[in-house]
Amino acid sequence: MEAARTKLTRVLSRIFINNVNDKAHRVMRSGSSFNGLAKYSTSAAAVVKDYEDYRKSLYGDITHKALLVDAVGTLVVPSQPMAQIYRQMGEKYGVEYSEDEILRRYRWAYGQPWGRSRLRYVNDGRPFWQYIVSSSTGCSDTQYFEELYSYYTTEKAWHLCDPDAEKVFEAIKKAGVKLAVVSNFDTRLRPLLRALNCDHWFDAVAVSAEVAAEKPNPTIFLKACELLKVKPEDAVHVGDDRRNDIWGARDAGCDAWLWGSDVHSFKEVARRIGVHV
């Protein structure tokens, strides 16, 4: 019985995804007219409600046993633009590039294949970030790099995306839903969560540098589920990157919602799970 329910959940989840995507493609082919978009929005909302109602029929009012949360871009964001920090800290080390040039070079470097390993973030990620910093600024000064590297482990560099996060996560945990961070990050993530005083919100942390797998590889999501002792189909992942977070989580068998599109706040996430805040 349990196996049949699990299989049905996965099948209907895939139908839900394909249904929404198919409608989106049809709207795009129609020229994205106002009427077409309005009809799509109404139809997509109906599909979402149907799927949520289906999960409630199986699991009750609380539709998921675990919530997985992406770190950068979902849970936390940089407090200042990266190029601004690279420029300000680099002035005393001879960095002359403008912020626009630093950003352009950063994006180029970040998009290049990382030849030393199939993973960017291995252990503390220093070799990768040294490459990024020197490529972005033209400066290979070790002291400059260490100053930047240390800065991004502090509460000065980051802040929470959602000011209501603590209250919402407390309500989610009180409802019996387990919480985990799932992030492509190096080993600085744990001290960063401590610095932001939010590490105790989570029952587990699955960080790519420790798991040796980066999103969208399903392995990191499966590891998070293993740490929480839940099945993938009982978990929903929330993240801001369609490829890494949504496709990766669904390939692992989890539900997935796109931050900034499917959901816009953790209070909305809680509501969709069935938790009242």
Side-chain angles (χ1 to χ4, degrees), residues 172-247:
I172 289 174
K173 289 187 76 171
K174 189 174 181 180
V177 179
K178 296 180 179 180
L179 289 162
V181 174
V182 181
S183 177
N184 286 351
F185 213 109
D186 53 61
T187 51
R188 288 176 296 172
L189 181 60
R190 291 180 187 275
L192 171 60
L193 295 177
R194 287 196 295 271
L196 292 170
N197 196 32
C198 64
D199 58 315
H200 61 286
W201 298 351
F202 302 98
D203 301 295
V205 175
V207 55
S208 61
E210 298 172 356
V211 177
E214 292 181 5
K215 297 182 290 185
N217 188 328
T219 299
I220 191 169
F221 298 99
L222 295 174
K223 182 62 177 179
C225 292
E226 178 188 328
L227 291 170
L228 295 178
K229 295 181 173 58
V230 299
K231 296 177 181 178
E233 59 268 20
D234 291 333
V236 60
H237 176 70
V238 176
D240 68 316
D241 187 292
R242 190 175 299 277
R243 177 177 177 269
N244 285 345
D245 293 304
I246 306 306
W247 297 354

Side-chain angles (χ1 to χ4, degrees), residues 60-87:
D61 290 338
I62 304 298
T63 59
H64 297 81
K65 295 179 180 178
L67 170 63
L68 315 180
V69 180
D70 170 47
V72 179
T74 306
L75 178 65
V76 300
V77 288
S79 296
Q80 291 177 276
M82 171 278 304
Q84 183 181 18
I85 295 298
Y86 277 35
R87 167 73 177 168

Side-chain angles (χ1 to χ4, degrees), residues 71 79 137 166 273:
S79 296
T137 63
E166 182 173 14
I273 291 174

Side-chain angles (χ1 to χ4, degrees), residues 119-187:
L119 302 173
R120 292 168 298 174
Y121 311 125
V122 177
N123 297 323
D124 61 13
R126 269 188 165 82
F128 174 73
W129 286 115
Q130 284 173 330
Y131 161 73
I132 292 295
V133 170
S134 62
S135 297
S136 303
T137 63
C139 179
S140 300
D141 189 292
T142 302
Q143 190 171 344
Y144 169 50
F145 168 74
E146 289 298 332
E147 188 175 338
L148 268 177
Y149 184 86
S150 298
Y151 169 77
Y152 280 105
T153 318
T154 69
E155 70 280 5
K156 295 179 182 178
W158 306 90
H159 66 270
L160 295 169
C161 279
D162 187 340
D164 293 327
E166 182 173 14
K167 177 177 69 175
V168 175
F169 287 152
E170 283 179 356
I172 289 174
K173 289 187 76 171
K174 189 174 181 180
V177 179
K178 296 180 179 180
L179 289 162
V181 174
V182 181
S183 177
N184 286 351
F185 213 109
D186 53 61
T187 51

